[in-house]
Amino acid sequence: MKSKSRLLAAVLVLFSSAPLHADEKHHEDPTKIVTKAGIAYNEELKFSGSIGLDEARMINARINADGDEWRVGGSWLLPLGIVNFNFSRSEYDNDAYKNNYSIGTFVPLSYFGLEPYGWQLFPMAGYSYNDGEVAYFDDSSVDNDYVLMPTSTHGGYLGAFGLKPLNKQWSLLAFGGGSMGSDDYSGYWAGIGASYKISEAQSFNLFSIFAEDDFGENNSVGVSYTYEFN
């Protein structure tokens, strides 16, 4: 409970701070403060959106059609990078689930004049707390029975997001990272994709995601459409 209280206190500090100016950025830039709405399909229908409160602060949310998986959070833009916090719930096979509380940041390497081979890179790092239930199987059982065990862990994560504009419409996307925590917790995530800018307000994405941790795995291919409000 102490960790959750500290996280909530940090969120209140962020949202009470003065806004900063945000420059025009690529539509897939993870440090962009924007108001938008989107719909995606990767094995199930998902809805997402964000609201820019001002030039520096934003709240966002995502939920699947069944309502059993969701994420809510917010962002605060800094002179160098952006700080994000998120609360989320994820469902896995065999009735396992995970609640995640995290706070972290993206830092654009372009700030230091680094864009190797035209890639805009954004290293990410942060703290996360997970709790939920993990399915443990009985290897001696013919019926492959399992039992759900409550699990919680504190830890951190490191990774990076990258985008490479090919022309005015198409861009390549890639991301990856890993996490480690208490009680031997570990996980990884990776993904690749392409983004097509239909107009100044609309974009279309194709993507593939590979993710696994102690709670389960989430490997999928999907498509998404986003409308950005000016």
Side-chain angles (χ1 to χ4, degrees):
M1 294 299 294
K2 290 183 179 180
S3 297
K4 295 181 183 179
S5 298
R6 294 193 190 102
L7 183 58
L8 290 174
V11 169
L12 292 177
V13 171
L14 292 179
F15 273 77
S16 63
S17 302
L20 299 175
H21 178 69
D23 296 326
E24 184 64 29
K25 298 175 179 179
H26 190 282
H27 64 283
E28 297 291 351
D29 191 318
T31 68
K32 187 176 184 179
I33 301 296
V34 65
T35 298
K36 63 182 180 180
I39 185 170
Y41 184 85
N42 58 328
E43 298 184 347
E44 61 180 340
L45 201 60
K46 297 180 180 180
F47 306 94
S48 63
S50 65
I51 299 175
L53 303 177
D54 50 40
E55 292 184 334
R57 292 172 290 186
M58 176 176 67
I59 57 175
N60 58 71
R62 183 183 67 196
I63 189 169
N64 66 349
D66 293 334
D68 53 4
E69 290 193 319
W70 50 265
R71 185 190 70 194
V72 294
S75 304
W76 183 45
L77 184 65
L78 301 172
L80 176 59
I82 193 169
V83 174
N84 303 306
F85 74 90
N86 289 287
F87 311 102
S88 66
R89 181 182 177 89
S90 301
E91 299 282 335
Y92 299 93
D93 293 339
N94 307 305
D95 301 316
Y97 71 90
K98 177 178 69 176
N99 298 316
N100 173 265
Y101 312 83
S102 65
I103 184 168
T105 183
F106 283 100
V107 177
L109 290 187
S110 58
Y111 181 87
F112 306 100
L114 299 175
E115 291 189 12
Y117 301 102
W119 280 90
Q120 298 179 34
L121 300 177
F122 304 83
M124 67 177 98
Y127 161 83
S128 65
Y129 171 77
N130 299 307
D131 67 53
E133 292 187 330
V134 176
Y136 289 95
F137 288 84
D138 181 2
D139 294 334
S140 62
S141 172
V142 176
D143 297 325
N144 205 25
D145 292 333
Y146 65 90
V147 59
L148 292 171
M149 297 291 293
T151 301
S152 63
T153 178
H154 300 263
Y157 65 87
L158 291 171
F161 172 82
L163 66 90
K164 179 181 173 62
L166 300 177
N167 52 44
K168 292 182 179 181
Q169 284 77 39
W170 286 101
S171 298
L172 297 178
L173 309 173
F175 61 88
S179 57
M180 296 185 67
S182 57
D183 297 326
D184 296 323
Y185 170 83
S186 64
Y188 75 89
W189 63 92
I192 56 174
S195 175
Y196 181 78
K197 189 173 183 179
I198 303 171
S199 67
E200 286 300 316
Q202 303 176 79
S203 62
F204 175 81
N205 284 13
L206 300 169
F207 58 88
S208 181
I209 299 172
F210 312 91
E212 184 175 0
D213 64 8
D214 291 358
F215 291 88
E217 63 179 31
N218 177 19
N219 302 325
S220 60
V221 176
V223 297
S224 67
Y225 166 83
T226 301
Y227 186 91
E228 182 177 319
F229 299 91
N230 294 324

